Amino acid sequence: MPNHEIYMRRCLELAELGQGSVSPNPIVGALVVHHDTIIGEGWHRKYGEAHAEPNAIADVFNRYPNAADLLRESTVYVTLEPCSHHGKTPPCADLLVKHQVKQVVVACNDPFEQVNGRGIAKLREAGIDVLEGVLEEEAKFVNRRFFTRVQHQRPYVILKWAETANGYFAPKGEKQQWITGSAAQVVNHRWRSEEDAVLVGANTALIDNPQLTVRHWFGRNPKRIVIDKELSLPPHLHLFDKEAETIVFNAKKTDWQDRLKLIALENFDWYLPQNILYQLHLMDVQSLVVEGGIKTLNLFIKAGLWDEARVFRGQAYWKDGLDAPRLQVIPQIKENIGNDSLTVYFNK
């Protein structure tokens, strides 16, 4: 008997290679297994291009002259239900039916309304054996951004901050002081490359003058988002250097020019995080990192609109400062990043 979980874990590893490149699509990995031997691998590499299943099948054809015969005797493993509708690419379920694969093993159903069971039904109607639910929870976790967007109509929200060893977030007054080391900075830039957007408040933009890019990592820059109610931020800030698309949520005006988008929110002081997330959802933003400052972080925490928090703790002790946010949940992950520690929380 094949060990379905071993093959599905490999699919999950492949799926994560697409993180940061396929949004707002889900990340998906696929394997083709013939008599307990992997003969093809694939993952969704880039939005608008081939999905995982066609990439895995193409891998078989590239490696074996008798690929068509092998596929008829093979099992295809995939982390998410094969799509059944025409989008930017043809339906993956149709491709599997065309090649008459023997079996398809699926980790979890696709919650998108145009799929949601239809892909599996199409496979079974064609006489293909389908096994569902292999590492289902792990697959949903890997695709938690996509599931949040589809099921809750908002981006997946990641809070991120650094605090001192005695729990201070920032110095008092308008000054900047680093808490973590270079290793944490590199990790933070990698995270930015994996998410669609990163957000800060006006005070953080003014005091820290962040670039919010991935200059210490390889990958594409996220959308930069700042909350600036009165449009008071000066134009010389890095946020306005056109290095990446910048969105300014404000109470004054809406105006789109080149890579700068001003978006006015009605009733700005009411349900601000909800309104921001709704607007980003309409723009197909699937994930958002909230990097500060303290007022902005607490805004999302108090609204309960966060899914994950990544908290660095440095080694320095300060005599005074602004208290870091406090989360009333049990941490799930702890690890060391250089000389700093990282704690990850999930809002279940």
Side-chain angles (χ1 to χ4, degrees), residues 176-229:
Q176 181 187 35
Q177 189 169 344
W178 286 103
I179 294 175
T180 55
S182 59
Q185 187 179 42
V186 171
V187 169
N188 187 42
H189 285 219
R190 175 172 66 82
W191 288 343
R192 289 176 183 169
S193 75
E194 296 172 346
E195 312 303 338
D196 288 351
V198 56
L199 178 147
V200 296
N203 285 341
T204 296
L206 187 62
I207 295 170
D208 293 351
N209 193 17
Q211 296 181 52
L212 302 184
T213 60
V214 298
R215 60 196 180 278
H216 295 307
W217 192 258
F218 302 97
R220 60 103 178 94
N221 290 320
K223 297 178 189 295
R224 303 183 295 195
I225 301 171
V226 61
I227 303 171
D228 182 14
K229 181 179 179 179

Side-chain angles (χ1 to χ4, degrees), residues 265-281:
L265 299 176
E266 294 184 7
N267 302 314
F268 187 91
D269 295 318
W270 295 88
Y271 303 107
L272 181 58
Q274 290 89 339
N275 289 331
I276 287 173
L277 294 182
Y278 176 69
Q279 291 294 328
L280 294 178
H281 173 71

